[in-house]
Each structure stands twice: as structure tokens, then as C-alpha cells.
Amino acid sequence: MAQVAITVNGRSYQVACDEGQEDHLVRLADYVDKRIAELVSAMGQIGDARLLVMASLLVADELSDTYAELARAREGTGEAEREVELADALADNVETLAARIEDIAARLDHP
């Protein structure tokens, strides 16, 4: 397991990831940090846990929109089974993200 230092909302975190995934994780953290910066700009510092939840909801909304666009693009192509698989995968990913968010929020509330 590799360790990566990321910064979100001015705070540094050490995060474990699979070997070879370090750059990808840094890009994801940068994206989340930018979304949180947008929220801070609009609403101020409302607490790390709330900012994390808000940013997560925004990212989940973007993901949902992307899957909806993908489904519309595939309409009429006879790929109903693939759409079901994608929907199942999306549900699994959202559940995994929700669990991670809750875990991070708990650690932020109880350092």
C-alpha cells in the first residue's frame, strides 16, 4: 500500500492507496479541493464535515448527470442489460462513497 499526502481545504491528510494509483488519487483530491474552495467562497467556512458532505453531494450529482447522459446516448441501441449493470455499479459506488464520507467525517469530528 502506498501513502499519499493530499491537501483539502488547507488541511493535509495521509491517504493509503494501491501502488500505482498515487497520481490518480492526487488528481481526485485536487478536484475535491477545488469544489470545496467553491463552496467556501459561496458559503464561508461552515466546518470540514459539512463542507465534505456538500462537496460529496455535488460530485455525486455530477456523476448522476453523467450516467443519465450515458443512458440517453444508449437509448434505442438494445443495451438494456448494460444500463442495468451501470446502474448497479453506480449504486455500489455511491454506497462506497457514502461509507467513505461518513468515515472521513467521523475522523474530522474526532481527531
Side-chain angles (χ1 to χ4, degrees), residues 25 28 52 94-107:
L25 182 59
L28 293 174
L52 180 61
V94 169
E95 287 179 21
T96 300
L97 287 172
R100 286 181 181 174
I101 291 166
E102 290 173 5
D103 182 52
I104 292 169
R107 283 188 262 153

Side-chain angles (χ1 to χ4, degrees), residues 1 35-36 40-42 44 48 70 81 93-94:
M1 266 287 143
R35 295 309 306 254
I36 288 179
V40 168
S41 176
D48 287 342
L70 180 61
E81 289 180 352
N93 287 340
V94 169

Side-chain angles (χ1 to χ4, degrees), residues 2-8 15-34 59 63 93 97 100:
Q3 289 282 323
V4 177
I6 62 169
T7 301
V8 176
V15 180
C17 66
D18 291 332
E19 295 291 335
Q21 293 297 312
E22 298 89 347
D23 290 340
H24 180 66
L25 182 59
V26 168
R27 283 191 304 275
L28 293 174
D30 288 344
Y31 181 76
V32 170
D33 189 44
K34 287 176 186 170
V59 171
L63 183 60
N93 287 340
L97 287 172
R100 286 181 181 174

